[in-house]
Amino acid sequence: MNDYSRVLSAMRPTGRLHIGHYHGVIKNWVELQYEHDCYFMVADLHALTSNYENTKDIEQHIHDMVVDWLACGVDPSQAILFIQSQVPEHTEIYTLLSMITPLSWLLRVPSYKDQLENISSKELDTYGFLGYPLLQSADILLYQSKFVPVGEDQVIHVELTREIARRFNHIYGREPGFEQKALEAMRKLGKKKSDLYQALLVNYQQNGDDEALEKARFLLTDAVNLSIGERERLFAFLENKSRVILTEPQELVSNTPKIIGIDGQKMSKSFNNTIKLRESIDSISKKIREMPTDPARVRRTDKGDPLKCPVWQLHLVYSTNDVKNYAKNGCVSAEIECLECKTPLIDAIEAEQCKFRENAKAYEGDTNLIKNILADGAEKATETAKETLDEIKQIMNISY
Ligand code: TRP
Ligand code: SF4
C-alpha cells in the first residue's frame, strides 16, 4: 500500500554512526522510503544549538554520516536527502513560528532544564538552545509532514509540534472578522460570565483541559441573553473551529529494543561503547568477545541468567529464534560457555555489516558525489518548503 503522505526525519551530524542508530531509526527510514514521500535531513543548525563553539568538523561529520545513511540502504532515488541550512526556508518559518510560541511551552520541555543543569561543560544558557525544540517543529511543519520517525526521547518534541500547529491554525485559520464578532457576543454575556468564559477558553486551548471545555459549554447553554447566532459563534470560538493550514504530525517510534553498548549501558558515542557501522570484523569480534556477561558466571560451570547479561540484549535484536533458544538454554544450564554464546552473535553482526560495507563502496571518499546528492536534495526540498512558506506568509499578511 503506497501512501504518499510526507515523512520528515533528521539527525544531527555527529559523524560516523553506530548500530544503535541503524536499529533505532535508519532501518525504519529504509522501509518508509518505499511507501511515503520521505525527507531525510542533516540537522546542522541543530548541531549549532548546543555545539556552537566547536564547528570545525561539521562538514566532515556530515559526509561521514550521509555515507552511513547510504550504506544502510537509504536511497536518494527514493527519498530526498538534504542539509537543513541549505534550505533557508527552515530559518524563515522558524522566525515566523517564534512569534506565536509561548515562552512557557519551551521552558517546560523536559530536556531543556535537564541539560541546562547537567551539562556543565558547555554554556547552554542561550536563546538558540532554548529555541531548539521549536526549530525542530519548524522542520516538521515546513513539509506538512504527517509522520516523523524518531527515537523515544524525541516524542515530546513532536507533541510540541502538534501544539504549535494547532495554535497557528487557531490564530490564522479564521474567517475575516471572526474574532471581532466573537468579542461582541462575549460582551453580551456580561463582565463576570465573559471573564469566566475567557479563562475557561484559555485553559482548554492552552492546557487541553477538557473539563474547562465542558464548563464553558454549560455556561453558554445557560446564558439567556445570547441569540442563537451569538451562542453558535461562541461555541465555535471555544472549539477553535478553524481552517487547517499546518498539518499536525504523528511520531513513529521504532519498536526495536534499545541497543545496549558493549559495556552494558545505553549505546552512545559519548560513552565510548559503540559498535560503529562499517567497523572492521576484527574490531567487532574483539569488542563482543570482551563484552561483560552475567556476573554470576564466573566459572564455565556457573549457570547464568540472560536477563542479567548485555550480550542477551544484542541477541534479541540480531538472532533468530533458534539461536536465541540455543543461547538461553545453554546459559541457564551452563551447557555452553559465554564465548560459544557470543559466536553466532558476532556472525550476525558481521553479516549485517558486510552489506553496509558493500553499499558504502560507491560513496566512500567521494565528497563530490555526496555533495551532489545533497545539493540535488536541497533543491527538491526547497520546492516543497516554498509552498508551505508562501501560504503561511499570505495568511500572515506579509506576502507583498
Ligand atoms: N532534534 C533531533 C535530534 O537531536 C534531530 C532533528 C532535527 C529532528 N529536526 C528534526 C528529528 C525533525 C525529527 C524531525 O536528534
Ligand atoms: Fe550472557 Fe550468553 Fe554468557 Fe549467558 S551464556 S551470560 S547470555 S554471554
Side-chain angles (χ1 to χ4, degrees):
M1 179 206 62
N2 274 15
D3 167 1
Y4 290 105
S5 42
R6 293 204 191 108
V7 170
L8 175 103
S9 195
M11 276 189 189
R12 294 175 179 226
T14 51
R16 294 281 298 264
L17 301 179
H18 55 67
I19 59 174
H21 293 116
Y22 176 67
H23 289 279
V25 180
I26 303 181
K27 206 162 107 187
N28 227 343
W29 290 9
V30 174
E31 282 166 20
L32 289 165
Q33 69 184 347
Y34 299 109
E35 293 163 9
H36 298 283
D37 201 1
C38 286
Y39 293 74
F40 298 137
M41 181 182 88
V42 178
D44 63 338
L45 298 176
H46 282 262
L48 295 181
T49 62
S50 60
N51 233 357
Y52 53 87
E53 274 185 308
N54 185 7
T55 57
K56 70 177 192 320
D57 295 327
I58 287 191
E59 195 170 356
Q60 183 66 45
H61 282 167
I62 292 175
H63 174 85
D64 291 343
M65 181 170 85
V66 173
V67 171
D68 274 336
W69 288 1
L70 298 163
C72 291
V74 176
D75 180 351
S77 71
Q78 297 291 340
I80 296 174
L81 279 54
F82 68 101
I83 302 176
Q84 187 181 27
S85 69
Q86 290 189 333
V87 180
E89 282 74 11
H90 284 265
T91 318
E92 206 172 343
I93 190 178
Y94 173 57
T95 304
L96 295 177
L97 292 176
S98 77
M99 307 304 170
I100 65 147
T101 303
L103 200 48
S104 61
W105 291 11
L106 295 175
L107 288 166
R108 74 164 191 238
V109 173
S111 60
Y112 177 65
K113 268 204 201 101
D114 266 17
Q115 300 202 30
L116 256 197
E117 281 164 15
N118 297 329
I119 301 187
S120 53
S121 55
K122 294 178 210 162
E123 175 61 76
L124 288 181
D125 213 349
T126 59
Y127 174 60
F129 186 66
L130 174 68
Y132 118 77
L134 179 64
L135 183 57
Q136 180 164 354
S137 298
D139 300 336
I140 295 167
L141 296 174
L142 184 56
Y143 298 94
Q144 302 277 16
S145 322
K146 194 158 160 198
F147 301 115
V148 185
V150 283
E152 200 76 62
D153 59 323
Q154 299 279 316
V155 171
I156 197 107
H157 297 157
V158 184
E159 278 167 12
L160 173 74
T161 307
R162 283 197 286 274
E163 289 180 54
I164 289 176
R166 233 174 280 148
R167 183 162 161 86
F168 187 92
N169 294 338
H170 166 66
I171 296 176
Y172 297 107
R174 302 287 186 68
E175 305 305 326
F178 182 85
E179 196 110 358
Q180 191 54 40
K181 286 180 190 155
L183 282 175
E184 277 162 23
M186 245 185 260
R187 231 168 272 138
K188 287 270 199 79
L189 281 172
K191 168 116 178 68
K192 222 171 134 191
K193 281 193 176 159
S194 161
D195 284 353
L196 180 58
Y197 169 85
Q198 287 180 68
L200 292 167
L201 178 127
V202 168
N203 212 349
Y204 172 63
Q205 287 180 355
Q206 290 194 4
N207 310 326
D209 182 347
D210 290 330
E211 215 172 293
L213 175 65
E214 272 313 300
K215 281 189 190 148
R217 277 201 188 122
F218 191 74
L219 183 146
L220 292 179
T221 319
D222 247 19
V224 283
N225 43 352
L226 290 182
S227 74
I228 293 174
E230 286 161 343
R231 186 171 294 131
E232 285 309 309
R233 196 162 288 138
L234 290 180
F235 269 130
F237 195 53
L238 198 57
E239 286 196 78
N240 184 17
K241 293 250 174 57
S242 49
R243 199 152 68 82
V244 174
I245 304 155
L246 296 178
T247 309
E248 287 185 37
Q250 277 305 317
E251 63 274 11
L252 296 176
V253 183
S254 135
N255 49 15
T256 316
K258 268 244 165 340
I259 295 277
I260 295 289
I262 53 169
D263 58 357
Q265 300 185 77
K266 170 180 184 247
M267 184 172 284
S268 160
K269 191 177 175 182
S270 47
F271 295 151
N272 207 3
N273 63 358
T274 66
I275 293 175
K276 288 205 247 335
L277 300 179
R278 302 182 284 133
E279 192 165 321
S280 79
I281 173 68
D282 289 346
S283 161
I284 294 172
S285 164
K286 181 165 184 288
K287 283 181 180 174
I288 304 282
R289 273 185 279 119
E290 288 172 1
M291 248 180 106
T293 59
D294 177 358
R297 293 205 76 184
V298 182
R299 279 171 307 250
R300 162 73 176 79
T301 49
D302 293 332
K303 292 175 179 161
D305 176 359
L307 294 178
K308 295 184 181 142
C309 176
V311 177
W312 174 249
Q313 298 298 316
L314 288 178
H315 272 302
L316 289 179
V317 177
Y318 277 97
S319 298
T320 60
N321 282 338
D322 283 350
V323 173
K324 278 188 272 194
N325 285 334
Y326 163 79
K328 191 172 176 184
N329 297 336
C331 179
V332 297
S333 62
E335 270 164 26
I336 60 171
E337 57 180 308
C338 288
L339 193 57
E340 286 172 277
C341 177
K342 287 172 172 180
T343 306
L345 184 60
I346 296 173
D347 293 344
I349 297 179
E350 171 54 15
E352 183 179 84
Q353 296 271 5
C354 227
K355 279 186 298 180
F356 297 158
R357 267 184 239 119
E358 191 57 37
N359 291 343
K361 270 193 194 140
Y363 304 106
E364 261 164 345
D366 194 343
T367 43
N368 271 333
L369 179 54
I370 301 294
K371 276 191 179 171
N372 286 338
I373 289 172
L374 293 170
D376 187 46
E379 206 174 295
K380 290 183 187 144
T382 302
E383 263 178 51
T384 311
K386 272 201 188 322
E387 280 173 25
T388 309
L389 200 59
D390 283 351
E391 194 179 352
I392 289 183
K393 285 172 133 181
Q394 271 183 25
I395 266 161
M396 293 179 85
N397 298 313
I398 55 164
S399 165
Y400 314 110

